[in-house]
Amino acid sequence: MVKIDKDEFNQKIFKRIYNLIDEYNLINEGERIAVALSGGKDSVLTLHALSSYKKICGFNFDLVAIAVDEGIEGYRASGISSAVNNAKLCNVDLIQESFKDNFGYNLDDIYENFKSACIPCGVFRRHILNKAAYDWNADKIATGHNLDDEIQSFLMSFARGDTLKFSKFGPELKRIHPKLVPRIKPLWNTPEKEVGLWAVINDIDIHLAECPYSSLSLRSKIKGFLNDVENRNPGIKQNILSSFIKSLNVEPSMPKLYECEVCGEPTSSNICKACEIVDLLNSD
Ligand code: SF4
């Protein structure tokens, strides 16, 4: 078994993250950065990396973390507890939000109305994160998307024929509406395996459980497929990433955004997806 030097490994993984931040100017002097903190390994590493980057980068910026409780019985509570502990450890304030407080429903109560629980979950979470970050005057939201997530999303868009989504790839998403807080992905080129290893060798308090609804998702199927192909053909994931880095050079077409007639949040049509879902649920 290969023995891993903890300090060397930590240095390597953090240096890659710092380099990505510097290369793409993901964070600039005086900015306010909100970390989307679920308590899982990826968001926890993002928080630790940004809080240590703050100490070494030579300029000042503000950090806050936002945790969203979807209302998934037996699953989310331990994620929130990891989020609370890690925010405390990194000395970063934590804003806590929930589906119930924002929309009046827990995910457990409504998931059966949809083909997949991930549909309302993703819509509500994005809505809440954006609103909480905007209310805190955030310049950017940092998410824990790692290299594997990015490749999965890329292939999911291919599989769905949804080429408009290609504009969402890359380590940063530009501001396309005054009320839509841009996203940055500091783990964009960090493989998921390394994130897991970082959490294990440093004995980090992370939320390990799988969401009970995740096995039903297209992402989970694509993840299984990619891991299988990578095991048989090492380097495939990196090749896919390289291919879509090339595609990033093509100017993406951005959808025009408006403000939702109900809640005022940015949306590509008159009413945003979250309000559409709430309307559908209320009419049942
Ligand atoms: Fe939500 Fe789906 Fe993720 Fe579960 S797997 S937390 S339902 S998006």
Side-chain angles (χ1 to χ4, degrees):
M1 199 197 227
V2 187
K3 193 162 171 356
I4 294 166
D5 182 313
K6 184 169 128 179
D7 292 339
E8 206 176 288
F9 180 82
N10 285 343
Q11 247 181 33
K12 187 185 121 190
I13 197 165
F14 276 61
K15 191 161 187 284
R16 191 199 284 123
I17 297 170
Y18 298 164
N19 286 345
L20 187 80
I21 296 173
D22 292 341
E23 186 185 341
Y24 287 89
N25 288 323
L26 297 186
I27 301 176
N28 297 292
E29 169 130 38
E31 284 187 332
R32 289 167 69 79
I33 310 293
V35 178
L37 186 64
S38 68
K41 63 185 187 324
D42 304 298
S43 65
V44 169
L45 172 57
T46 305
L47 181 72
H48 281 256
L50 294 199
S51 94
S52 69
Y53 181 74
K54 194 168 147 71
K55 291 176 193 142
I56 58 105
C57 66
F59 58 86
N60 199 22
F61 63 91
D62 292 324
L63 261 186
V64 78
I66 303 171
V68 179
D69 183 345
E70 301 92 347
I72 305 174
E73 177 91 38
Y75 166 72
R76 180 43 75 208
S78 88
I80 297 290
S81 143
S82 300
V84 169
N85 292 341
N86 281 287
K88 213 178 270 173
L89 204 64
C90 295
N91 206 14
V92 170
D93 287 342
L94 179 68
I95 299 169
Q96 294 197 50
E97 296 282 349
S98 72
F99 282 16
K100 183 83 177 167
D101 288 345
N102 280 270
F103 297 111
Y105 296 97
N106 286 318
L107 186 63
D108 283 342
D109 306 327
I110 59 165
Y111 78 97
E112 281 178 326
N113 294 287
F114 302 87
K115 201 169 142 206
S116 155
C118 300
I119 295 171
C121 188
V123 169
F124 282 179
R125 195 179 40 237
R126 276 192 298 275
H127 183 105
I128 293 172
L129 265 178
N130 186 67
K131 191 167 181 312
Y134 182 81
D135 289 346
W136 182 73
N137 280 327
D139 293 290
K140 287 162 187 168
I141 297 173
T143 64
H145 286 91
N146 61 42
L147 182 146
D148 290 61
D149 294 325
E150 191 75 348
I151 295 170
Q152 287 155 23
S153 301
F154 191 61
L155 292 184
M156 279 164 69
S157 298
F158 257 131
R160 289 178 171 141
D162 187 1
T163 50
L164 260 186
K165 283 261 168 64
F166 287 2
S167 61
K168 294 195 171 165
F169 297 116
E172 63 169 336
L173 307 180
K174 303 278 185 210
R175 189 180 285 276
I176 53 172
H177 186 280
K179 287 176 86 176
L180 192 64
V181 184
R183 306 282 180 114
I184 55 171
K185 306 171 194 168
L187 309 191
W188 183 69
N189 56 351
T190 301
E192 182 166 14
K193 253 190 191 165
E194 292 189 20
V195 185
L197 201 52
W198 168 79
V200 170
I201 63 177
N202 291 284
D203 201 16
I204 305 285
D205 173 9
I206 51 162
H207 177 47
L208 281 170
E210 278 260 321
C211 169
Y213 303 122
S214 69
S215 62
L216 305 171
S217 67
L218 175 61
R219 178 176 292 278
S220 158
K221 289 172 195 139
I222 288 191
K223 182 176 180 171
F225 163 75
L226 275 173
N227 285 342
D228 187 40
V229 177
E230 176 74 26
N231 283 340
R232 292 164 207 247
N233 309 274
I236 282 277
K237 288 182 185 174
Q238 197 56 51
N239 290 347
I240 297 175
L241 181 71
S242 306
S243 300
F244 79 68
I245 285 173
K246 285 178 199 150
S247 77
L248 287 175
N249 294 329
V250 179
E251 194 60 35
S253 58
M254 297 291 185
K256 187 163 171 35
L257 291 188
Y258 311 91
E259 285 183 19
C260 172
E261 288 172 6
V262 180
C263 70
E265 285 295 291
T267 170
S268 55
S269 46
N270 297 352
I271 311 282
C272 77
K273 281 274 172 284
C275 288
E276 262 178 34
I277 289 177
V278 172
D279 189 44
L280 183 90
L281 294 167
N282 289 344
S283 65
D284 276 353

